[in-house]
Amino acid sequence: MATEEIFIPDIGNFDSVDVIEILINIGDSINPDDPMLTVESDKASMDIPAPHSGVIKEIKVRVGDKVKQGSLVALFEKNQTSTETPKKQPNAKKEVEDIASKVALEPTSLVPEPPATIKPIERPIPISESVLAASGKTSHASPSVRKFARNLGVNLNFVKGSAPKNRIVTEDIEAYVKAELSKPRTDDMGTQFAPIAMPDIDFSAFGSIETKSLSKIKKISGANLHRNWVTAPHVTQFDDADITDLEAFRKSMQKEANKKGVKLTLLAFMMKACVNALRAYPIFNSSISPDGENIIIKNYYNVGFACDTPDGLVVPVVKDVFTKDVLEIAQDLGNLSNKARERKLKMDDMQGGCFTISSLGGIGGTKFTPIINCPEVAILGVSRSSMQPIYKKETKEFEPRLILPLSLSYDHRVVDGADGARFTTHLRAMLSDVRRLLL
Ligand code: CAO
């Protein structure tokens, strides 16, 4: 083994430059071009690469030293077995000039990475706890990579290097930023409003308790409801529809429907009215593309309905509602509800929905705010109808009318408030005039 000396190569028109980082340790095996030091002039900074492969025996410089061409950097033991052709010593002078001409370095850009506890000021990237736990290490990266990281506000202490000796390259920073941006954006709420962990309370300390496992449906729908709730900014528009005439018509049709074995419920008429409104306001029959760049408008009309089953909530979908009459819709509703309660729904029965109706009218309540079944952009909540005294301008008298409360929740990223009010106004007009509804 021969011990050799490594010197600072030609670094151009600089009398001396400062050593700002030492990237090697005694005992390190190095390869040609592995960066050993970072030096800084008043114009730029650059890495000093290793000329050969070998093992570092002694380091002859320290951070803060001034060095120039010919200064001794280190002693190393050159690999005797190595058959490599020594790499051409890079033209350090040219590299410094290139960097200086390309990068207008501000004085602050030469400041080493902030310690892990200091957050980057520019566009901070949310940092997970697991990443924080890995902080405190020294990161190895070239000046241009450091500059790239600083421009993005990335703290290199959190980036894993993929190059030899865990050196960080541009691709690592890009991958880090991509990964961080794809995480749920709860940090964006500001630390003071970020969700905190649910306390683990021993309820038995306050009285007798019973623990039951959540049904599979509840676990799945719970995760979906939570995602939809935090993803789509919900607005709920309320309105009332006068369904006195519609209800009289429904009852008059019931006998005929019964003959066909169909229960003609209000929900079938609601579906018809909703599709009419979806056609008038196509933005409600859309989905936002996953990248948030486009709106996908659908030219088909499949309407889902929330169905209460002993195992939890499911949403079967009535297909092609536009092409069906109310009896056909009622028939589909009956079949799908039965399948849901008998746990016989297939995937296809629950796919392809454009819009959802959640009807609690058979149970009770005056109004509620349904959660959108994303990626749909709106859902209609229907509550229990009741007789109410409604003032009639024509007769200047109050008349008893059957009033149906409607609650339309929509995704405010896609639907404006004015359109929300237009949609429910259209719906109430449809429901109040059965002739228009069935045209
Ligand atoms: N106002 C007053 N009465 C109503 C009504 C309304 N808005 N809607 C239905 N009713 C009546 C019906 O006329 C029926 O009365 P009769 O038995 O005297 O004919 C009774 O309530 C029961 O109706 P139904 O439940 O059989 O039929 P439906 O079409 O109204 O509802 C379905 C079907 C599947 C939607 C319903 O059974 C259901 O599961 N609802 C719960 C949905 C739910 O859980 N939503 C919450 C989801 S969270 O957002």
Side-chain angles (χ1 to χ4, degrees):
M1 295 275 182
T3 301
E4 288 201 6
E5 295 172 318
I6 306 176
F7 300 99
I8 298 282
D10 178 7
I11 50 171
N13 298 327
F14 300 107
D15 282 347
S16 68
V17 288
D18 294 329
V19 175
I20 59 165
E21 198 172 0
I22 298 192
L23 308 171
I24 46 172
N25 291 305
I26 292 172
D28 279 355
S29 289
I30 52 166
N31 293 310
D33 285 347
D34 275 0
M36 299 186 304
L37 307 178
T38 305
V39 295
E40 173 201 319
S41 75
D42 56 351
K43 289 210 180 97
S45 57
M46 68 164 294
D47 285 350
I48 303 295
H52 308 286
S53 63
V55 177
I56 299 293
K57 287 287 151 196
E58 264 184 67
I59 300 170
K60 296 288 192 185
V61 287
R62 286 181 303 182
V63 171
D65 283 358
K66 291 206 175 292
V67 292
K68 55 184 179 183
Q69 184 181 354
S71 298
L72 182 60
V73 173
L75 300 181
F76 81 118
E77 221 161 53
K78 200 174 166 187
N79 284 346
Q80 294 296 298
T81 50
S82 169
T83 52
E84 68 187 278
T85 6
K87 282 218 169 181
K88 202 173 127 242
Q89 183 76 9
N91 186 343
K93 176 181 170 189
K94 185 171 180 312
E95 209 172 313
V96 168
E97 283 165 0
D98 279 351
I99 293 170
S101 68
K102 280 185 204 148
V103 181
L105 292 173
E106 313 81 4
T108 51
S109 67
L110 298 170
V111 174
E113 291 303 316
T117 46
I118 298 176
K119 285 198 171 178
I121 300 160
E122 298 170 0
R123 253 192 71 200
I125 304 291
I127 289 153
S128 64
E129 280 174 21
S130 59
V131 175
L132 274 172
S135 63
K137 63 180 178 168
T138 315
S139 43
H140 292 189
S142 72
S144 57
V145 170
R146 286 175 184 279
K147 168 113 178 100
F148 182 59
R150 267 191 297 270
N151 286 346
L152 294 175
V154 171
N155 185 335
L156 285 181
N157 286 333
F158 303 132
V159 181
K160 199 165 173 253
S162 63
K165 291 190 166 195
N166 300 329
R167 191 159 178 73
I168 298 163
V169 291
T170 310
E171 287 75 17
D172 298 327
I173 294 169
E174 287 170 349
Y176 170 79
V177 170
K178 217 172 181 180
E180 288 297 329
L181 289 178
S182 67
K183 285 181 184 169
R185 312 291 295 164
T186 47
D187 292 19
D188 289 352
M189 291 182 228
T191 44
Q192 67 275 41
F193 295 120
I196 54 168
M198 198 61 74
D200 186 4
I201 294 171
D202 175 12
F203 299 105
S204 66
F206 307 100
S208 155
I209 60 164
E210 212 183 320
T211 304
K212 287 183 177 171
S213 58
L214 274 177
S215 73
K216 202 172 164 198
I217 290 183
K218 280 219 161 126
K219 280 186 193 160
I220 295 170
S221 62
N224 281 312
L225 287 165
H226 181 245
R227 180 205 56 200
N228 299 348
W229 179 249
V230 298
T231 307
H234 283 60
V235 175
T236 304
Q237 171 70 55
F238 300 107
D239 211 338
D240 289 329
D242 182 338
I243 56 161
T244 317
D245 299 341
L246 174 59
E247 194 56 5
F249 178 76
R250 185 181 75 86
K251 283 186 175 150
S252 74
M253 292 267 298
Q254 193 65 70
K255 255 193 188 157
E256 193 191 325
N258 285 347
K259 275 188 215 157
K260 293 183 180 170
V262 176
K263 187 178 177 193
L264 185 57
T265 67
L266 180 63
L267 193 53
F269 291 91
M270 295 300 309
M271 288 212 165
K272 200 81 190 147
C274 284
V275 166
N276 198 301
L278 291 174
R279 287 172 63 79
Y281 300 99
I283 193 69
F284 286 86
N285 201 38
S286 74
S287 284
I288 194 164
S289 65
D291 61 6
E293 294 288 327
N294 297 300
I295 297 288
I296 300 149
I297 307 270
K298 296 151 202 170
N299 298 322
Y300 53 87
Y301 303 92
N302 300 334
V303 180
F305 63 101
C307 185
D308 186 31
T309 77
D311 297 323
L313 183 71
V314 290
V315 184
V317 176
V318 179
K319 305 275 165 51
D320 295 321
V321 173
F322 179 62
T323 62
K324 291 177 178 164
D325 62 34
V326 278
L327 277 179
E328 289 171 313
I329 298 168
Q331 194 158 25
D332 283 2
L333 277 170
N335 291 341
L336 288 166
S337 301
N338 289 340
K339 274 171 108 178
R341 285 172 187 138
E342 290 162 16
R343 303 177 186 177
K344 287 187 179 154
L345 282 177
K346 303 228 166 68
M347 271 318 278
D348 182 55
D349 294 323
M350 294 184 281
Q351 285 175 336
C354 307
F355 181 86
T356 298
I357 301 177
S358 176
S359 173
L360 291 173
I363 302 168
T366 50
K367 284 180 171 68
F368 68 107
T369 53
I371 297 177
I372 301 162
N373 190 17
C374 296
E376 295 169 16
V377 297
I379 181 168
L380 182 72
V382 182
S383 296
R384 193 165 187 79
S385 58
S386 60
M387 285 306 254
Q388 290 181 22
I390 302 296
Y391 183 74
K392 291 281 167 184
K393 261 197 263 166
E394 308 83 45
T395 58
K396 295 191 176 155
E397 283 182 0
F398 284 94
E399 273 184 34
R401 306 292 294 180
L402 188 62
I403 302 300
L404 181 72
L406 305 173
S407 316
L408 177 81
S409 292
Y410 56 85
D411 184 339
H412 210 349
R413 294 173 302 173
V414 180
V415 176
D416 295 333
D419 282 337
R422 283 188 194 107
F423 190 91
T424 53
T425 302
H426 187 97
L427 253 188
R428 65 178 269 168
M430 284 290 128
L431 293 168
S432 304
D433 185 348
V434 68
R435 287 162 308 171
R436 276 178 69 191
L437 178 60
L438 298 176
L439 268 182

